[in-house]
């Protein structure tokens, strides 16, 4: 129902979880509107491993067969933008 009180929890790109109370302003799916949280928000780190900002280019390779031989064909490019012991985040324009 509109104007009802909601508890919202979200995780930022930095891995901080924020939980706050707000009001439901609109509910026209797929867009739901909430009021701004009041007061200062304090995030809690939810990552197992700290992320380190990096900037590396990397190819996207796909295995294909040419003349009966398996080769790796370049199908795209990515930028690795941060890394941790648990993985990395990539950005690409590829579908």
């Amino acid at each position: 129902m509109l104007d009802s009180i909601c508890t919202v929890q979200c995780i930022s790109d930095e891995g901080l979880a924020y939980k706050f109370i707000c009001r439901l302003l609109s509910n026209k799916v797929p867009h739901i509107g909430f009021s701004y949280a009041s007061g200062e928000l304090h995030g809690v780190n939810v990552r197992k491993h700290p992320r380190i900002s990096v900037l590396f280019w990397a190819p996207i390779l796909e295995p294909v067969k040419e003349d009966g031989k398996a080769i790796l064909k370049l199908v795209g490019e990515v930028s690795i933008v941060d890394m941790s012991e648990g993985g990395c985040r990539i950005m690409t324009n590829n579908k």
Side-chain angles (χ1 to χ4, degrees), residues 10-31:
C10 58
I11 299 177
S12 69
D13 286 342
E14 292 79 29
L16 298 177
Y18 294 92
K19 187 174 184 180
F20 52 90
I21 304 295
C22 59
R23 293 197 174 270
L24 181 63
L25 299 178
S26 66
N27 59 356
K28 295 180 180 177
V29 175
H31 303 285

Side-chain angles (χ1 to χ4, degrees), residues 17-77:
Y18 294 92
K19 187 174 184 180
F20 52 90
I21 304 295
C22 59
R23 293 197 174 270
L24 181 63
L25 299 178
S26 66
N27 59 356
K28 295 180 180 177
V29 175
H31 303 285
I32 300 172
F34 296 103
S35 64
Y36 285 107
S38 59
E40 188 175 339
L41 297 177
H42 297 283
V44 177
N45 191 356
V46 294
R47 297 203 187 278
K48 286 185 180 180
H49 307 287
R51 291 190 174 218
I52 298 168
S53 291
V54 296
L55 186 55
F56 296 112
W57 171 88
I60 301 173
L61 303 173
E62 179 180 349
V64 295
K65 292 221 178 200
E66 279 188 12
D67 300 325
K69 287 184 168 181
I71 63 165
L72 295 174
K73 178 182 175 188
L74 180 68
V75 294
E77 300 176 349

